Amino acid sequence: MTQDRERRPTLDTIAQRVGVSRATVSNAYNRPDQLSGALRERIIATAKQLGYAGPDPVARSLATKQAGSVAFMLCDGLSSAFSDPALSIMLDALSSTMDTGERSLLLLPGVSGDGPRAQSVMRAQTDVVVAYSLPDNAPALEAVRARDLPLVVVDQPFVPKSARVRVDDRGGAYLAAKHVAGLGHRHVGIVGLGLSADGVGGPVSPQRIEQAHFEVTLDRLAGYREALGEQGILADAVPFWEAPGNAREMGREGARWLFGLEPRPTAVLCMSDELALGAIRAANELGLSVPGEVSVVGFDDTPAASWADPPLTTVRQDLVAKGRQAGELALRMLDGARPGRPVTIGVDLQVRGSTAAVV
Amino acid sequence: MTQDRERRPTLDTIAQRVGVSRATVSNAYNRPDQLSGALRERIIATAKQLGYAGPDPVARSLATKQAGSVAFMLCDGLSSAFSDPALSIMLDALSSTMDTGERSLLLLPGVSGDGPRAQSVMRAQTDVVVAYSLPDNAPALEAVRARDLPLVVVDQPFVPKSARVRVDDRGGAYLAAKHVAGLGHRHVGIVGLGLSADGVGGPVSPQRIEQAHFEVTLDRLAGYREALGEQGILADAVPFWEAPGNAREMGREGARWLFGLEPRPTAVLCMSDELALGAIRAANELGLSVPGEVSVVGFDDTPAASWADPPLTTVRQDLVAKGRQAGELALRMLDGARPGRPVTIGVDLQVRGSTAAVV
DNA sequence: TTGTACGCGTTATCAG
DNA sequence: CTGATAACGCGTACAA
């Protein structure tokens, strides 16, 4: 191993062997038009013969001041992160937008809902950072600022001097709540996403809402309440369960709590499709038919939503557009563009089979 | 932007300002024990004041000859890759095994089932590569060899001088097929994973099997056939549909084809849980009850398998162990260890509600 | 603590 | 045109 390293040929090795300068060998790889074809072939042949695999990527990065990668920061570990189907779709769109084959994707998993460690960010070889739905007190964000790296924030939080892609969360939630209210539901419960990254879940107190670190959750909550308020349903009368993560299991748990309340909600608004699918499961387990006795609404419109039984009524956000926009913003930031105004992805309500008029 | 770069302070800037040498400033960050606390504080303070965020990661990599990242190569794009829940779990285990906070994860998505482009690999700043279930003719593998990077192969294919983690695919498939045969099933169909990365799916011809590029698919097929053969069921009598990817939709399509055959299979062996869930859906849509009229077996035992209705009988592989083993092998390869023998992850059959005796 | 010799390329600028 | 010279880029590590 060590010997390998020592023996590893460099541009100079090839140059000496061929009898040209290092610059010429470099040109053979990066600017074929700068030298004659014959010489280039001789160089490449010699390189192959010596087992030289081309310019070292790290050295090249140092010289060009381009790390050649995009860092993507996640709130959680990979497993929980990718159990969120919305993320995969978004990330795929992002990577195919950016990946000209030149750039790779550096994944910085989060530690326990708090996002990546500051040190991971300090040591990351990257030109630009994309943060995906981090809490507003994530240490990683401070590290990005310290390094003065261009930053694109997806969803949340607000960070000064960064570009941002967000979704009309409040508007989407408003549509969802208005829909069930219009169907006559007056007892409505909410299964929400996290308010803080502390892993705490359960019925939500007003204080906890005040100390929230996730803007998206607050926005969706506000949208729900606004629409329900218009029907004279007060916020106090709307039970709200916080799920500590976006997993079916947690939606199921929250819904089970809601269904045990008196009066039992006839409609459940969920802040994600995964939570909603868990809620449907909970209803089934309690012998409540969906949508006969309980209506359930999701958020995101992931593929699983239309696959579900019954197909899920949900708020659609264009995940591909979101990823593409994030990618384009990142590219633009790389070119030194100013952050500009946040890009907002629109939403609309997909009415399917999981909601019905109250009986 | 450009100005930023030009003005960006370096170790030297700080050193001059504080009146010490560059080496001392470097030590202040990396070897605090090498200098007095007071001096260190003065250095850090000056750095902060000048907006210096610590040693440049790329320069450090050049000096230490450590890129500080693990490259992970995927067969497909991120979206289809992560629609495979088994991958998320495995990758999470891998990243938490390796991530001492020092190392990050470089994701190299594949292009169209063929794995990453060779050029992506040539330019990747990485110390070690983990390849996840690539076809044996993937160009990326040749690039890894050309760069002489340590390689850990997960699942497939065989690559000389690389470490490997695999699963007892043949044994697992054998268990699955033996199970249904033991339940009396004599008309058995197979919904398999891809044989090549060409995106082709459908009923499989013998020639196509001969030209296969995915060993895992062949192993599982062999396991199925072996167990069925022991019951006198010949390979020719076992219809085999190839799904071009691991998605429910494709399992559904394959099962639909099987259910249209004469005689109709009473049991369907699927090479993944996702395919199996699609098969159950297809059965339901045709009014065939599972397991009453049709038995379905999966492979992997992802969380969705036990969530399914009915809960899926499937071959369990320990995905966490797989990821951890891959991570440990990668770490060992980094230390210059020799590849060693392949590590094989054991399997066992989880009998649940999707299989029953033939009527 | 400090000199200082690397590490491995890129990219003007220059000369033949 | 073709190819060479040489000035960076930013740290690390070891001997002094």
Short mmCIF file of all heavy atoms in Angstrom, two decimals, chain A residues 4-5 8 51-54 57, chain B residues 70-74 106 108 114-132 134-154 157-163 333 339:
data_model
loop_
_atom_site.label_atom_id
_atom_site.label_comp_id
_atom_site.label_asym_id
_atom_site.label_seq_id
_atom_site.Cartn_x
_atom_site.Cartn_y
_atom_site.Cartn_z
N ASP A 4 2.89 1.25 -2.87
CA ASP A 4 2.07 1.63 -4.02
C ASP A 4 2.06 3.14 -4.19
O ASP A 4 2.31 3.67 -5.26
CB ASP A 4 0.63 1.15 -3.82
CG ASP A 4 0.48 -0.29 -4.26
OD1 ASP A 4 1.37 -0.77 -4.99
OD2 ASP A 4 -0.51 -0.91 -3.89
N ARG A 5 1.77 3.79 -3.07
CA ARG A 5 1.68 5.25 -3.11
C ARG A 5 2.99 5.84 -3.60
O ARG A 5 3.02 6.72 -4.41
CB ARG A 5 1.35 5.79 -1.71
CG ARG A 5 -0.05 5.46 -1.24
CD ARG A 5 -1.07 6.31 -1.93
NE ARG A 5 -2.41 5.97 -1.44
CZ ARG A 5 -3.52 6.40 -2.02
NH1 ARG A 5 -3.46 7.16 -3.08
NH2 ARG A 5 -4.68 6.06 -1.54
N ARG A 8 3.56 5.37 -7.22
CA ARG A 8 2.53 5.84 -8.13
C ARG A 8 3.06 6.93 -9.07
O ARG A 8 3.60 7.93 -8.62
CB ARG A 8 1.37 6.40 -7.29
CG ARG A 8 0.05 6.28 -7.99
CD ARG A 8 -1.09 6.19 -7.00
NE ARG A 8 -1.68 4.85 -7.02
CZ ARG A 8 -2.79 4.53 -6.37
NH1 ARG A 8 -3.40 5.43 -5.64
NH2 ARG A 8 -3.26 3.32 -6.44
N GLY A 51 0.90 2.59 -15.94
CA GLY A 51 -0.17 2.47 -14.96
C GLY A 51 -0.60 3.80 -14.39
O GLY A 51 -1.06 3.89 -13.25
N TYR A 52 -0.47 4.83 -15.19
CA TYR A 52 -0.92 6.16 -14.75
C TYR A 52 -2.36 6.35 -15.18
O TYR A 52 -2.69 6.23 -16.36
CB TYR A 52 -0.02 7.24 -15.35
CG TYR A 52 -0.42 8.63 -14.95
CD1 TYR A 52 -0.24 9.07 -13.64
CD2 TYR A 52 -0.97 9.51 -15.88
CE1 TYR A 52 -0.60 10.36 -13.28
CE2 TYR A 52 -1.32 10.79 -15.52
CZ TYR A 52 -1.13 11.21 -14.22
OH TYR A 52 -1.50 12.48 -13.85
N ALA A 53 -3.22 6.66 -14.22
CA ALA A 53 -4.65 6.68 -14.51
C ALA A 53 -5.18 8.08 -14.77
O ALA A 53 -6.37 8.32 -14.70
CB ALA A 53 -5.42 6.04 -13.37
N GLY A 54 -4.29 9.00 -15.07
CA GLY A 54 -4.76 10.37 -15.30
C GLY A 54 -4.52 11.23 -14.08
O GLY A 54 -4.25 10.73 -13.00
N PRO A 57 -7.29 13.56 -8.89
CA PRO A 57 -8.43 14.45 -8.69
C PRO A 57 -8.21 15.49 -7.59
O PRO A 57 -8.63 16.63 -7.74
CB PRO A 57 -9.56 13.49 -8.30
CG PRO A 57 -9.16 12.17 -8.84
CD PRO A 57 -7.65 12.16 -8.79
N VAL B 70 -15.62 8.03 1.07
CA VAL B 70 -15.90 6.72 0.52
C VAL B 70 -16.84 6.91 -0.66
O VAL B 70 -17.88 7.54 -0.51
CB VAL B 70 -16.66 5.86 1.54
CG1 VAL B 70 -16.76 4.44 1.05
CG2 VAL B 70 -16.02 5.95 2.89
N ALA B 71 -16.47 6.39 -1.79
CA ALA B 71 -17.37 6.50 -2.94
C ALA B 71 -18.30 5.30 -2.96
O ALA B 71 -17.89 4.17 -2.72
CB ALA B 71 -16.58 6.58 -4.23
N PHE B 72 -19.54 5.59 -3.24
CA PHE B 72 -20.53 4.52 -3.30
C PHE B 72 -21.15 4.52 -4.69
O PHE B 72 -21.78 5.49 -5.10
CB PHE B 72 -21.59 4.77 -2.23
CG PHE B 72 -22.45 3.57 -1.97
CD1 PHE B 72 -22.03 2.59 -1.08
CD2 PHE B 72 -23.66 3.42 -2.61
CE1 PHE B 72 -22.81 1.48 -0.84
CE2 PHE B 72 -24.45 2.30 -2.38
CZ PHE B 72 -24.03 1.33 -1.49
N MET B 73 -20.95 3.44 -5.41
CA MET B 73 -21.42 3.39 -6.78
C MET B 73 -22.73 2.63 -6.90
O MET B 73 -22.85 1.51 -6.41
CB MET B 73 -20.38 2.70 -7.67
CG MET B 73 -18.98 3.30 -7.55
SD MET B 73 -17.89 2.84 -8.92
CE MET B 73 -17.91 1.07 -8.80
N LEU B 74 -23.65 3.26 -7.57
CA LEU B 74 -24.97 2.66 -7.74
C LEU B 74 -25.19 2.29 -9.19
O LEU B 74 -24.60 2.88 -10.10
CB LEU B 74 -26.04 3.65 -7.33
CG LEU B 74 -26.10 3.97 -5.85
CD1 LEU B 74 -26.92 5.22 -5.61
CD2 LEU B 74 -26.70 2.78 -5.14
N LEU B 106 -19.41 9.80 -0.81
CA LEU B 106 -19.52 10.35 -2.14
C LEU B 106 -20.41 9.43 -2.96
O LEU B 106 -20.07 8.27 -3.17
CB LEU B 106 -18.12 10.44 -2.76
CG LEU B 106 -17.94 11.31 -3.96
CD1 LEU B 106 -18.20 12.76 -3.60
CD2 LEU B 106 -16.53 11.15 -4.50
N LEU B 108 -22.06 8.10 -6.25
CA LEU B 108 -21.91 8.11 -7.70
C LEU B 108 -23.08 7.35 -8.32
O LEU B 108 -23.05 6.13 -8.42
CB LEU B 108 -20.58 7.44 -8.10
CG LEU B 108 -19.31 8.08 -7.52
CD1 LEU B 108 -18.07 7.30 -7.96
CD2 LEU B 108 -19.20 9.53 -7.95
N ASP B 114 -26.26 0.87 -15.95
CA ASP B 114 -24.88 0.45 -16.22
C ASP B 114 -23.90 0.89 -15.16
O ASP B 114 -22.71 0.69 -15.29
CB ASP B 114 -24.42 1.02 -17.56
CG ASP B 114 -24.86 0.14 -18.71
OD1 ASP B 114 -24.92 -1.09 -18.51
OD2 ASP B 114 -25.13 0.67 -19.80
N GLY B 115 -24.40 1.55 -14.16
CA GLY B 115 -23.49 2.09 -13.15
C GLY B 115 -22.98 3.46 -13.55
O GLY B 115 -23.37 3.99 -14.60
N PRO B 116 -22.13 4.03 -12.73
CA PRO B 116 -21.61 5.37 -12.99
C PRO B 116 -20.76 5.40 -14.25
O PRO B 116 -20.23 4.38 -14.68
CB PRO B 116 -20.74 5.67 -11.76
CG PRO B 116 -21.11 4.65 -10.75
CD PRO B 116 -21.59 3.45 -11.48
N ARG B 117 -20.63 6.56 -14.81
CA ARG B 117 -19.74 6.73 -15.96
C ARG B 117 -18.31 6.57 -15.51
O ARG B 117 -17.94 6.94 -14.39
CB ARG B 117 -19.93 8.12 -16.56
CG ARG B 117 -21.08 8.23 -17.51
CD ARG B 117 -21.10 9.61 -18.14
NE ARG B 117 -21.56 10.59 -17.17
CZ ARG B 117 -22.80 11.03 -17.11
NH1 ARG B 117 -23.71 10.58 -17.96
NH2 ARG B 117 -23.16 11.91 -16.21
N ALA B 118 -17.49 6.05 -16.41
CA ALA B 118 -16.08 5.87 -16.07
C ALA B 118 -15.47 7.21 -15.65
O ALA B 118 -14.69 7.29 -14.70
CB ALA B 118 -15.33 5.28 -17.25
N GLN B 119 -15.83 8.24 -16.34
CA GLN B 119 -15.23 9.53 -16.04
C GLN B 119 -15.56 10.02 -14.62
O GLN B 119 -14.73 10.63 -13.96
CB GLN B 119 -15.69 10.57 -17.06
CG GLN B 119 -14.68 11.70 -17.21
CD GLN B 119 -15.34 13.01 -17.55
OE1 GLN B 119 -16.56 13.11 -17.60
NE2 GLN B 119 -14.51 14.02 -17.78
N SER B 120 -16.77 9.73 -14.18
CA SER B 120 -17.11 10.12 -12.81
C SER B 120 -16.18 9.45 -11.83
O SER B 120 -15.79 10.03 -10.82
CB SER B 120 -18.55 9.70 -12.48
OG SER B 120 -19.43 10.15 -13.47
N VAL B 121 -15.84 8.22 -12.13
CA VAL B 121 -14.97 7.48 -11.23
C VAL B 121 -13.55 8.03 -11.31
O VAL B 121 -12.87 8.21 -10.30
CB VAL B 121 -14.96 5.99 -11.58
CG1 VAL B 121 -14.01 5.22 -10.69
CG2 VAL B 121 -16.37 5.43 -11.46
N MET B 122 -13.11 8.34 -12.51
CA MET B 122 -11.75 8.83 -12.67
C MET B 122 -11.54 10.14 -11.91
O MET B 122 -10.45 10.42 -11.45
CB MET B 122 -11.45 9.07 -14.16
CG MET B 122 -11.48 7.81 -15.02
SD MET B 122 -10.50 6.45 -14.37
CE MET B 122 -8.84 7.05 -14.69
N ARG B 123 -12.58 10.93 -11.81
CA ARG B 123 -12.44 12.24 -11.18
C ARG B 123 -12.87 12.26 -9.73
O ARG B 123 -12.84 13.31 -9.08
CB ARG B 123 -13.28 13.26 -11.95
CG ARG B 123 -12.78 13.50 -13.35
CD ARG B 123 -13.80 14.30 -14.13
NE ARG B 123 -13.41 15.68 -14.33
CZ ARG B 123 -12.70 16.11 -15.36
NH1 ARG B 123 -12.28 15.27 -16.27
NH2 ARG B 123 -12.42 17.38 -15.50
N ALA B 124 -13.30 11.15 -9.22
CA ALA B 124 -13.83 11.15 -7.86
C ALA B 124 -12.72 11.26 -6.83
O ALA B 124 -11.72 10.55 -6.90
CB ALA B 124 -14.64 9.88 -7.62
N GLN B 125 -12.92 12.15 -5.88
CA GLN B 125 -11.93 12.28 -4.82
C GLN B 125 -12.29 11.33 -3.70
O GLN B 125 -13.12 11.63 -2.86
CB GLN B 125 -11.93 13.72 -4.31
CG GLN B 125 -11.48 14.68 -5.39
CD GLN B 125 -11.59 16.12 -4.99
OE1 GLN B 125 -11.69 16.99 -5.84
NE2 GLN B 125 -11.58 16.38 -3.70
N THR B 126 -11.67 10.19 -3.74
CA THR B 126 -12.05 9.16 -2.79
C THR B 126 -10.87 8.23 -2.49
O THR B 126 -9.93 8.13 -3.27
CB THR B 126 -13.23 8.33 -3.35
OG1 THR B 126 -13.66 7.43 -2.35
CG2 THR B 126 -12.80 7.55 -4.58
N ASP B 127 -10.96 7.58 -1.36
CA ASP B 127 -9.90 6.66 -0.95
C ASP B 127 -10.27 5.22 -1.19
O ASP B 127 -9.41 4.35 -1.28
CB ASP B 127 -9.62 6.81 0.54
CG ASP B 127 -9.23 8.23 0.91
OD1 ASP B 127 -8.33 8.76 0.25
OD2 ASP B 127 -9.83 8.80 1.82
N VAL B 128 -11.56 4.96 -1.25
CA VAL B 128 -12.02 3.59 -1.36
C VAL B 128 -13.40 3.60 -2.02
O VAL B 128 -14.13 4.58 -1.90
CB VAL B 128 -12.08 2.93 0.04
CG1 VAL B 128 -12.97 3.71 0.98
CG2 VAL B 128 -12.52 1.49 -0.04
N VAL B 129 -13.69 2.54 -2.72
CA VAL B 129 -14.94 2.50 -3.46
C VAL B 129 -15.77 1.30 -3.03
O VAL B 129 -15.24 0.21 -2.83
CB VAL B 129 -14.67 2.39 -4.98
CG1 VAL B 129 -15.98 2.29 -5.76
CG2 VAL B 129 -13.86 3.58 -5.46
N VAL B 130 -17.06 1.54 -2.84
CA VAL B 130 -17.99 0.45 -2.59
C VAL B 130 -18.94 0.37 -3.77
O VAL B 130 -19.60 1.36 -4.11
CB VAL B 130 -18.78 0.67 -1.29
CG1 VAL B 130 -19.77 -0.46 -1.08
CG2 VAL B 130 -17.85 0.79 -0.10
N ALA B 131 -18.98 -0.77 -4.40
CA ALA B 131 -19.87 -0.95 -5.56
C ALA B 131 -21.08 -1.76 -5.13
O ALA B 131 -20.93 -2.82 -4.52
CB ALA B 131 -19.13 -1.65 -6.69
N TYR B 132 -22.25 -1.26 -5.44
CA TYR B 132 -23.45 -1.94 -5.00
C TYR B 132 -24.16 -2.59 -6.18
O TYR B 132 -24.76 -1.90 -7.01
CB TYR B 132 -24.38 -0.95 -4.30
CG TYR B 132 -25.66 -1.55 -3.79
CD1 TYR B 132 -25.67 -2.36 -2.66
CD2 TYR B 132 -26.88 -1.33 -4.43
CE1 TYR B 132 -26.82 -2.91 -2.18
CE2 TYR B 132 -28.05 -1.88 -3.95
CZ TYR B 132 -28.02 -2.68 -2.82
OH TYR B 132 -29.18 -3.23 -2.34
N LEU B 134 -23.59 -4.03 -9.16
CA LEU B 134 -23.44 -3.56 -10.55
C LEU B 134 -23.40 -4.75 -11.50
O LEU B 134 -23.07 -5.86 -11.11
CB LEU B 134 -22.13 -2.77 -10.69
CG LEU B 134 -21.98 -1.50 -9.86
CD1 LEU B 134 -20.70 -0.79 -10.26
CD2 LEU B 134 -23.18 -0.59 -10.05
N PRO B 135 -23.73 -4.51 -12.75
CA PRO B 135 -23.57 -5.59 -13.74
C PRO B 135 -22.08 -5.86 -13.96
O PRO B 135 -21.25 -4.98 -13.75
CB PRO B 135 -24.21 -4.99 -15.01
CG PRO B 135 -24.24 -3.53 -14.81
CD PRO B 135 -24.32 -3.30 -13.33
N ASP B 136 -21.77 -7.05 -14.37
CA ASP B 136 -20.35 -7.41 -14.43
C ASP B 136 -19.59 -6.71 -15.55
O ASP B 136 -18.38 -6.78 -15.61
CB ASP B 136 -20.17 -8.93 -14.49
CG ASP B 136 -20.87 -9.52 -15.70
OD1 ASP B 136 -21.22 -8.76 -16.62
OD2 ASP B 136 -21.07 -10.75 -15.72
N ASN B 137 -20.33 -6.04 -16.41
CA ASN B 137 -19.65 -5.32 -17.49
C ASN B 137 -19.69 -3.81 -17.28
O ASN B 137 -19.52 -3.03 -18.22
CB ASN B 137 -20.28 -5.68 -18.83
CG ASN B 137 -21.79 -5.43 -18.84
OD1 ASN B 137 -22.38 -5.20 -17.78
ND2 ASN B 137 -22.40 -5.48 -20.00
N ALA B 138 -19.89 -3.39 -16.05
CA ALA B 138 -19.98 -1.95 -15.79
C ALA B 138 -18.64 -1.26 -16.04
O ALA B 138 -17.61 -1.72 -15.54
CB ALA B 138 -20.41 -1.71 -14.34
N PRO B 139 -18.65 -0.19 -16.81
CA PRO B 139 -17.40 0.52 -17.13
C PRO B 139 -16.74 1.10 -15.87
O PRO B 139 -15.53 1.23 -15.82
CB PRO B 139 -17.85 1.64 -18.07
CG PRO B 139 -19.33 1.74 -17.91
CD PRO B 139 -19.82 0.40 -17.48
N ALA B 140 -17.56 1.42 -14.87
CA ALA B 140 -17.01 2.01 -13.66
C ALA B 140 -16.02 1.06 -12.99
O ALA B 140 -15.04 1.50 -12.39
CB ALA B 140 -18.14 2.36 -12.69
N LEU B 141 -16.25 -0.22 -13.10
CA LEU B 141 -15.36 -1.18 -12.45
C LEU B 141 -13.97 -1.15 -13.08
O LEU B 141 -12.96 -1.23 -12.39
CB LEU B 141 -15.96 -2.58 -12.52
CG LEU B 141 -17.26 -2.74 -11.70
CD1 LEU B 141 -17.91 -4.07 -12.00
CD2 LEU B 141 -16.97 -2.58 -10.22
N GLU B 142 -13.95 -1.01 -14.37
CA GLU B 142 -12.68 -0.90 -15.06
C GLU B 142 -11.95 0.37 -14.63
O GLU B 142 -10.73 0.38 -14.43
CB GLU B 142 -12.92 -0.90 -16.58
CG GLU B 142 -11.75 -0.51 -17.42
CD GLU B 142 -10.50 -1.35 -17.15
OE1 GLU B 142 -10.64 -2.46 -16.62
OE2 GLU B 142 -9.39 -0.85 -17.45
N ALA B 143 -12.70 1.43 -14.44
CA ALA B 143 -12.09 2.70 -14.01
C ALA B 143 -11.50 2.56 -12.61
O ALA B 143 -10.42 3.07 -12.33
CB ALA B 143 -13.13 3.81 -14.05
N VAL B 144 -12.21 1.87 -11.74
CA VAL B 144 -11.69 1.66 -10.39
C VAL B 144 -10.38 0.88 -10.46
O VAL B 144 -9.41 1.20 -9.77
CB VAL B 144 -12.71 0.89 -9.53
CG1 VAL B 144 -12.10 0.47 -8.21
CG2 VAL B 144 -13.96 1.73 -9.30
N ARG B 145 -10.35 -0.09 -11.33
CA ARG B 145 -9.13 -0.88 -11.47
C ARG B 145 -7.99 -0.02 -12.01
O ARG B 145 -6.86 -0.07 -11.52
CB ARG B 145 -9.38 -2.06 -12.42
CG ARG B 145 -8.37 -3.18 -12.27
CD ARG B 145 -8.30 -4.02 -13.54
NE ARG B 145 -8.07 -3.21 -14.73
CZ ARG B 145 -6.96 -2.54 -14.99
NH1 ARG B 145 -5.97 -2.58 -14.13
NH2 ARG B 145 -6.85 -1.82 -16.10
N ALA B 146 -8.31 0.80 -13.01
CA ALA B 146 -7.29 1.65 -13.60
C ALA B 146 -6.68 2.57 -12.54
O ALA B 146 -5.48 2.80 -12.50
CB ALA B 146 -7.87 2.48 -14.74
N ARG B 147 -7.50 3.07 -11.65
CA ARG B 147 -7.00 3.96 -10.60
C ARG B 147 -6.39 3.18 -9.45
O ARG B 147 -5.84 3.76 -8.54
CB ARG B 147 -8.12 4.86 -10.09
CG ARG B 147 -8.44 6.00 -11.03
CD ARG B 147 -9.38 6.98 -10.40
NE ARG B 147 -8.86 7.56 -9.16
CZ ARG B 147 -9.54 8.40 -8.38
NH1 ARG B 147 -10.77 8.75 -8.73
NH2 ARG B 147 -9.01 8.88 -7.29
N ASP B 148 -6.61 1.89 -9.49
CA ASP B 148 -6.05 1.03 -8.45
C ASP B 148 -6.58 1.40 -7.08
O ASP B 148 -5.85 1.40 -6.08
CB ASP B 148 -4.52 1.13 -8.50
CG ASP B 148 -3.87 -0.06 -7.80
OD1 ASP B 148 -4.52 -1.11 -7.73
OD2 ASP B 148 -2.75 0.10 -7.33
N LEU B 149 -7.86 1.74 -7.02
CA LEU B 149 -8.48 2.07 -5.75
C LEU B 149 -8.95 0.80 -5.06
O LEU B 149 -9.39 -0.13 -5.72
CB LEU B 149 -9.70 2.98 -5.98
CG LEU B 149 -9.43 4.44 -6.32
CD1 LEU B 149 -10.70 5.11 -6.84
CD2 LEU B 149 -8.89 5.17 -5.10
N PRO B 150 -8.86 0.76 -3.74
CA PRO B 150 -9.42 -0.39 -3.02
C PRO B 150 -10.93 -0.48 -3.30
O PRO B 150 -11.61 0.54 -3.33
CB PRO B 150 -9.16 -0.07 -1.55
CG PRO B 150 -8.25 1.09 -1.52
CD PRO B 150 -8.26 1.75 -2.84
N LEU B 151 -11.39 -1.68 -3.48
CA LEU B 151 -12.79 -1.85 -3.86
C LEU B 151 -13.48 -2.88 -2.98
O LEU B 151 -12.91 -3.95 -2.70
CB LEU B 151 -12.86 -2.31 -5.33
CG LEU B 151 -14.22 -2.71 -5.89
CD1 LEU B 151 -15.17 -1.52 -5.96
CD2 LEU B 151 -14.06 -3.32 -7.27
N VAL B 152 -14.68 -2.55 -2.57
CA VAL B 152 -15.53 -3.52 -1.88
C VAL B 152 -16.77 -3.71 -2.74
O VAL B 152 -17.45 -2.75 -3.08
CB VAL B 152 -15.96 -3.02 -0.49
CG1 VAL B 152 -16.89 -4.03 0.16
CG2 VAL B 152 -14.74 -2.77 0.38
N VAL B 153 -17.02 -4.93 -3.12
CA VAL B 153 -18.20 -5.22 -3.93
C VAL B 153 -19.31 -5.76 -3.04
O VAL B 153 -19.08 -6.70 -2.27
CB VAL B 153 -17.87 -6.25 -5.02
CG1 VAL B 153 -19.14 -6.69 -5.74
CG2 VAL B 153 -16.86 -5.70 -6.00
N VAL B 154 -20.46 -5.17 -3.14
CA VAL B 154 -21.61 -5.69 -2.43
C VAL B 154 -22.50 -6.43 -3.41
O VAL B 154 -22.81 -5.89 -4.49
CB VAL B 154 -22.41 -4.55 -1.75
CG1 VAL B 154 -23.64 -5.10 -1.07
CG2 VAL B 154 -21.53 -3.81 -0.75
N PRO B 157 -20.66 -7.72 -9.02
CA PRO B 157 -20.22 -9.01 -9.52
C PRO B 157 -18.91 -9.42 -8.84
O PRO B 157 -18.43 -8.73 -7.96
CB PRO B 157 -19.95 -8.70 -10.98
CG PRO B 157 -19.39 -7.30 -10.94
CD PRO B 157 -20.11 -6.61 -9.79
N PHE B 158 -18.35 -10.49 -9.31
CA PHE B 158 -17.01 -10.86 -8.86
C PHE B 158 -16.00 -9.96 -9.55
O PHE B 158 -16.04 -9.78 -10.76
CB PHE B 158 -16.71 -12.32 -9.20
CG PHE B 158 -15.25 -12.65 -9.03
CD1 PHE B 158 -14.70 -12.78 -7.76
CD2 PHE B 158 -14.42 -12.79 -10.14
CE1 PHE B 158 -13.35 -13.05 -7.59
CE2 PHE B 158 -13.07 -13.07 -9.98
CZ PHE B 158 -12.53 -13.19 -8.70
N VAL B 159 -15.11 -9.38 -8.77
CA VAL B 159 -14.04 -8.56 -9.33
C VAL B 159 -12.74 -9.02 -8.69
O VAL B 159 -12.65 -9.06 -7.46
CB VAL B 159 -14.26 -7.06 -9.04
CG1 VAL B 159 -13.09 -6.24 -9.55
CG2 VAL B 159 -15.56 -6.58 -9.65
N PRO B 160 -11.75 -9.35 -9.49
CA PRO B 160 -10.48 -9.82 -8.92
C PRO B 160 -9.89 -8.80 -7.97
O PRO B 160 -10.00 -7.60 -8.20
CB PRO B 160 -9.58 -9.98 -10.17
CG PRO B 160 -10.51 -10.06 -11.32
CD PRO B 160 -11.73 -9.28 -10.95
N LYS B 161 -9.27 -9.27 -6.93
CA LYS B 161 -8.56 -8.41 -5.98
C LYS B 161 -9.44 -7.41 -5.24
O LYS B 161 -8.95 -6.39 -4.76
CB LYS B 161 -7.41 -7.67 -6.68
CG LYS B 161 -6.48 -8.59 -7.45
CD LYS B 161 -5.33 -7.86 -8.07
CE LYS B 161 -4.30 -7.41 -7.05
NZ LYS B 161 -3.10 -6.86 -7.68
N SER B 162 -10.73 -7.68 -5.18
CA SER B 162 -11.59 -6.80 -4.40
C SER B 162 -12.18 -7.58 -3.24
O SER B 162 -12.26 -8.81 -3.28
CB SER B 162 -12.72 -6.27 -5.28
OG SER B 162 -13.59 -7.31 -5.64
N ALA B 163 -12.57 -6.85 -2.21
CA ALA B 163 -13.28 -7.49 -1.11
C ALA B 163 -14.74 -7.62 -1.50
O ALA B 163 -15.22 -6.93 -2.40
CB ALA B 163 -13.13 -6.67 0.16
N MET B 333 -9.61 -2.28 3.99
CA MET B 333 -8.90 -2.07 2.72
C MET B 333 -8.10 -0.77 2.78
O MET B 333 -7.01 -0.67 2.23
CB MET B 333 -9.90 -1.98 1.57
CG MET B 333 -10.72 -3.22 1.31
SD MET B 333 -9.79 -4.56 0.54
CE MET B 333 -9.82 -4.06 -1.18
N PRO B 339 -7.73 -8.25 0.29
CA PRO B 339 -9.18 -8.46 0.17
C PRO B 339 -9.72 -9.60 1.04
O PRO B 339 -10.72 -9.44 1.71
CB PRO B 339 -9.36 -8.76 -1.31
CG PRO B 339 -8.23 -8.06 -1.97
CD PRO B 339 -7.08 -8.14 -1.01
#
